[in-house]
């Protein structure tokens, strides 16, 4: 009974937060709404006792959305994407594409001849799935993670050629920043 309630809450939460992606008026809010939707979708995996896959989805989605927010803050003209803006472009066209895609996928559920199961399921399907996903690619995934982290650090360093220590001195006690060009907020 408790699992059914948790599943129902997660289902409603996933749909509601997924819809919020298109309702909110900033990219940062849409990103966090999308993160909430993915987290709600990951909880049923934990209910199915697929702990590895559920935790993997949660960690991947949190990291992915955080990377998106970091790049959004660094590179968007709209800082942090917090200024109101429309999150939907070409509403009629995107609605038509979404409806057609849904219809094709829904028809595929009923029209595709799904293969019948052969053999018996493995004793530990979670381990089999984890080895199938990560086993031979673990080194590649670790290297990709390091490269991604190095890219994020390099992007931050390159986007801020003058940090606060350059502007306010080594002890950060300068009252006015030492900027080569005057102006800015409050000056």
């Amino acid at each position: 009974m408790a699992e059914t309630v948790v599943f129902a809450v997660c289902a409603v939460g996933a749909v509601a937060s997924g819809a919020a992606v298109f309702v909110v008026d900033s990219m940062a809010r849409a990103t966090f709404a999308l993160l909430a939707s993915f987290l709600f979708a990951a909880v049923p995996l934990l209910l199915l006792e697929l702990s590895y896959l559920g935790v993997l989805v949660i960690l991947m989605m949190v990291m992915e959305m955080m990377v998106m927010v970091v790049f959004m803050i660094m590179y968007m003209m709209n800082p942090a994407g917090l200024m109101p803006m429309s999150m939907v472009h070409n509403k009629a066209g995107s609605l038509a594409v979404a409806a057609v895609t849904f219809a094709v996928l829904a028809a595929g559920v009923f029209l595709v001849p799904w293969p019948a199961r052969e053999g018996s399921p493995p004793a530990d399907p979670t381990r089999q799935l984890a080895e199938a996903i990560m086993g031979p690619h673990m080194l590649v995934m670790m290297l990709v993670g390091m490269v991604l982290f190095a890219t994020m650090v390099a992007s931050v360093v390159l986007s801020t050629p003058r940090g606060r220590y350059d502007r306010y001195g080594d002890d950060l006690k300068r009252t006015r920043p030492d900027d080569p060009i005057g102006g800015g907020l409050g000056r």
Side-chain angles (χ1 to χ4, degrees):
M1 178 64 184
E3 292 181 351
T4 304
V5 171
V6 172
F7 177 77
V9 168
C10 289
V12 172
V15 172
S17 54
V21 171
F22 300 100
V23 174
V24 296
D25 59 356
S26 78
M27 292 191 73
R29 292 184 183 102
T31 300
F32 287 115
L34 187 60
L35 173 61
S37 179
F38 284 138
L39 294 181
F40 279 124
V43 172
L45 294 173
L46 299 174
L47 292 177
L48 293 171
E49 298 181 0
L50 297 174
S51 305
Y52 175 80
L53 196 56
V55 171
L56 183 68
V57 168
I58 290 171
L59 292 177
M60 281 177 49
M61 290 303 116
V62 168
M63 192 65 196
E64 181 180 317
M65 294 301 138
M66 291 301 112
V67 168
M68 187 184 302
V69 167
V70 167
F71 277 86
M72 192 184 309
I73 290 171
M74 286 192 307
Y75 294 117
M76 285 190 63
M77 291 182 293
N78 178 0
L82 292 175
M83 301 297 288
M85 61 184 288
S86 174
M87 296 304 299
V88 181
H89 308 285
N90 189 8
K91 293 180 183 178
S94 59
L95 183 62
V97 169
V100 169
T101 303
F102 176 78
V104 169
L105 292 176
V109 169
F110 298 106
L111 298 178
V112 169
W114 299 102
R117 169 177 286 192
E118 295 179 1
S120 60
D124 189 357
T126 303
R127 183 180 182 87
Q128 295 287 329
L129 180 62
E131 288 181 354
I133 293 174
M134 300 292 288
H137 309 293
M138 182 60 78
L139 179 62
V140 174
M141 295 294 284
M142 291 174 66
L143 290 175
V144 167
M146 292 172 57
V147 169
L148 183 61
F149 180 71
T151 303
M152 290 170 57
V153 171
S155 298
V156 170
V157 170
L158 291 175
S159 64
T160 57
R162 290 178 46 84
R164 61 181 177 169
Y165 292 104
D166 296 322
R167 302 177 71 225
Y168 290 98
D170 292 337
D171 53 2
L172 299 177
K173 290 185 178 176
R174 192 175 298 154
T175 56
R176 295 181 60 90
D178 181 21
D179 291 331
I181 300 175
L185 188 63
R187 290 180 284 145

